[in-house]
């Protein structure tokens, strides 16, 4: 038990340090100064109230896409569709904010957020239904749905929301925005918005769901052993669909909050939003822990926001941050290999002892 508790924070910490070391070695090989670059990165992420505001704002969608991936993973499924669900949530929130702008501000914000989250959830639930009733791989269906969402949203923005010859929708009304004067004044006019607080609250809600609610226990049970859960009387098909629905709701909520708080509109995109894939990395680093995701998202957000400062203060390409991030994930993946080898080694003597005992009994 002690080993498990320790490894829950030691392994991610070792992975992070190792990732930065790998990045430093590569910088040295190509003639860049790692100390200066890491100092620039830290300064860009935390060097002032504006930088802190931008880092916290960037955490918001990372937290929610990571939570969405965690819910599906706890149920034993690999939801690759976070980017598409995020995009549908973003689209849903903006279209409601634009079409129902006559509503009072507080109601308009609530309805827009709910619309975005629900659209993301329903989009993910398609893969859940196909998995539950037809055994279709959720990996394949969520990847396909990612591209369907990209091309659908591009079509909808061009044909329904934007003016002739334009590639983006109008900006939402100020009363539908999640930004506020208090946060802007507090962070020197950064784009930090109230969605950040919502994302933090949702982390604790998901923790409570996993650890204190019957449906959360059933979800984790299905993830551990689907057949045993079925034998115990659990409705496995319902749990599969619910896990994918909740997963998509969270990713869609991330898109809705980002749309209403950060972008304020929606544009035609050439590629899927990277945030869905980044959310997977955030969740993997802390082994899907809802509370751990807060700290993991802070790290990844700092790398993304602070990484932009590296090329400002030196001629080092910003892609070095991607190398550091990839190295961190690599060392997290190595954790599972190490644990697997240790468990095999641990079980071997037990098997030998069991064979000896059987022989002595005969």
């Amino acid at each position: 038990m002690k080993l498990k508790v320790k490894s829950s924070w030691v392994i991610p910490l070792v992975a992070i340090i190792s990732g930065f070391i790998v990045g430093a070695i590569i910088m040295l090989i190509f003639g860049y100064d790692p100390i200066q670059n890491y100092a620039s990165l830290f300064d860009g992420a935390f060097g002032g109230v504006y930088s802190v505001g931008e880092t916290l704002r960037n955490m918001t969608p990372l937290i929610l896409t990571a939570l969405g991936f965690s819910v599906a993973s706890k149920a034993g499924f690999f939801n690759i569709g976070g980017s598409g669900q995020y995009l549908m949530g973003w689209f849903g929130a903006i279209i409601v904010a634009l079409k129902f702008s006559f509503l009072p501000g507080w109601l308009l914000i609530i309805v827009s957020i709910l619309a975005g989250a629900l659209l993301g959830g329903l989009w993910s639930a398609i893969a859940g239904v196909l998995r539950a009733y037809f055994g279709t791989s959720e990996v394949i269906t969520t990847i396909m749905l990612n591209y369907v969402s990209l091309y659908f949203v591009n079509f909808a923005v061009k044909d329904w929301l934007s003016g002739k010859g334009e590639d983006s929708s109008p900006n939402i009304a100020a009363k539908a925005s999640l930004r506020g004067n208090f946060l802007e004044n507090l962070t020197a006019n950064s784009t930090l918005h109230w969605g950040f607080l919502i994302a933090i609250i949702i982390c604790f809600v998901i923790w409570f769901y996993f650890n204190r609610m019957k449906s959360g226990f059933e979800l984790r049970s299905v993830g551990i052993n689907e057949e045993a859960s079925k034998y115990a009387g659990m409705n496995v098909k319902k749990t599969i669909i619910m896990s994918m629905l909740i997963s998509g709701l969270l990713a869609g909520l991330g898109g809705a909050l980002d749309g209403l708080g950060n972008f304020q509109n929606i544009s035609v995109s050439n590629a899927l939003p990277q945030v869905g894939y980044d959310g997977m990395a955030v969740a993997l680093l802390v082994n899907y822990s809802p509370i751990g995701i807060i700290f993991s998202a802070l790290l990844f957000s700092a790398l993304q926001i602070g990484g932009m400062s590296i090329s400002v203060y030196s001629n080092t390409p910003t892609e070095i941050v991607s190398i550091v991030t990839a190295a961190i994930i690599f060392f997290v993946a190595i954790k599972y290999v190490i644990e697997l080898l240790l468990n095999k080694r641990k079980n071997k003597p037990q098997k030998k002892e069991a064979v000896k005992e059987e022989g002595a009994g005969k």
Side-chain angles (χ1 to χ4, degrees):
M1 180 64 78
K2 285 182 181 177
L3 186 64
K4 282 185 179 179
V5 172
K6 193 177 178 183
S7 67
S8 67
W9 61 268
V10 169
I11 296 290
L13 186 61
V14 169
I16 292 164
I17 294 169
S18 301
F20 277 100
I21 291 171
V22 169
I25 292 170
I26 291 172
M27 281 187 261
L28 286 171
I29 290 171
F30 288 96
Y32 302 119
D33 184 350
I35 296 175
Q36 179 195 341
N37 286 329
Y38 284 146
S40 298
L41 188 152
F42 184 84
D43 187 60
F46 304 109
V49 289
Y50 176 83
S51 300
V52 170
E54 290 299 311
T55 300
L56 296 180
R57 186 270 306 161
N58 194 55
M59 280 177 65
T60 304
L62 287 174
I63 287 172
L64 291 162
T65 53
L67 285 173
F69 182 72
S70 297
V71 169
S73 297
K74 287 280 189 181
F77 309 114
F78 213 67
N79 181 6
I80 311 290
S83 292
Q85 294 145 24
Y86 165 92
L87 187 58
M88 294 301 286
W90 179 4
F91 170 72
I94 294 297
I95 199 168
V96 168
L98 290 172
K99 300 300 181 184
F100 294 88
S101 58
F102 55 86
L103 292 172
W106 63 271
L107 183 59
L108 182 59
I109 288 173
I110 293 172
V111 171
S112 299
I113 291 173
L114 290 177
L118 185 60
L119 194 54
L122 292 174
W123 200 250
S124 181
I126 295 170
V129 171
L130 292 173
R131 174 70 172 77
Y133 288 97
F134 303 102
T136 310
S137 169
E138 73 282 355
V139 174
I140 295 171
T141 51
T142 50
I143 289 174
M144 293 172 68
L145 285 168
N146 273 343
Y147 289 97
V148 174
S149 67
L150 174 64
Y151 297 125
F152 167 74
V153 169
N154 282 349
F155 162 78
V157 170
K158 286 285 287 182
D159 278 42
W160 300 348
L161 298 179
S162 62
K164 193 172 182 180
E166 295 179 356
D167 288 333
S168 61
S169 72
N171 285 350
I172 58 174
K175 64 180 179 179
S177 173
L178 287 171
R179 295 185 194 178
N181 291 331
F182 174 76
L183 291 177
E184 287 183 357
N185 294 333
L186 191 66
T187 58
N189 293 318
S190 78
T191 54
L192 180 63
H193 54 82
W194 293 109
F196 170 72
L197 182 61
I198 295 172
I200 297 296
I201 292 169
I202 295 295
C203 285
F204 290 94
V205 170
I206 296 300
W207 178 89
F208 184 84
Y209 173 74
F210 279 153
N211 295 283
R212 295 290 184 269
M213 292 183 69
K214 180 186 173 186
S215 56
F217 169 76
E218 289 179 349
L219 184 145
R220 289 187 290 115
S221 297
V222 170
I224 295 168
N225 193 318
E226 193 173 314
E227 290 302 317
S229 300
K230 193 182 295 182
Y231 183 77
M234 297 178 190
N235 189 333
V236 173
K237 288 181 179 178
K238 177 186 172 185
T239 303
I240 291 171
I241 295 169
M242 281 302 298
S243 67
M244 292 299 289
L245 175 66
I246 295 169
S247 180
L249 278 170
L250 291 166
L253 178 61
L257 297 180
D258 223 14
L260 298 174
N262 181 28
F263 297 106
Q264 311 279 303
N265 69 350
I266 188 166
S267 305
V268 171
S269 304
N270 294 323
L272 285 162
Q274 183 63 29
V275 67
Y277 302 109
D278 291 338
M280 293 167 60
V282 168
L284 285 167
L285 180 60
V286 290
N287 198 25
Y288 315 120
S289 163
I291 307 304
I293 280 171
I294 298 172
F295 302 99
S296 182
L298 178 62
L299 169 67
F300 278 82
S301 182
L303 286 170
Q304 291 172 355
I305 297 298
M308 292 186 287
S309 299
I310 288 178
S311 60
V312 174
Y313 297 106
S314 73
N315 61 346
T316 310
T318 54
E319 283 76 13
I320 193 67
V321 175
S322 300
I323 294 172
V324 173
T325 304
I328 290 170
I329 299 307
F330 171 78
F331 287 109
V332 169
I334 288 294
K335 161 203 165 185
Y336 297 104
V337 176
I338 294 168
E339 285 182 349
L340 186 64
L341 292 172
L342 286 174
N343 288 334
K344 279 186 178 179
R345 199 172 172 186
K346 203 173 180 181
N347 292 332
K348 273 183 183 178
Q350 292 176 357
K351 285 182 180 178
K352 285 180 181 177
E353 285 175 16
V355 171
K356 284 180 182 177
E357 286 177 8
E358 283 180 16
K362 288 179 181 177

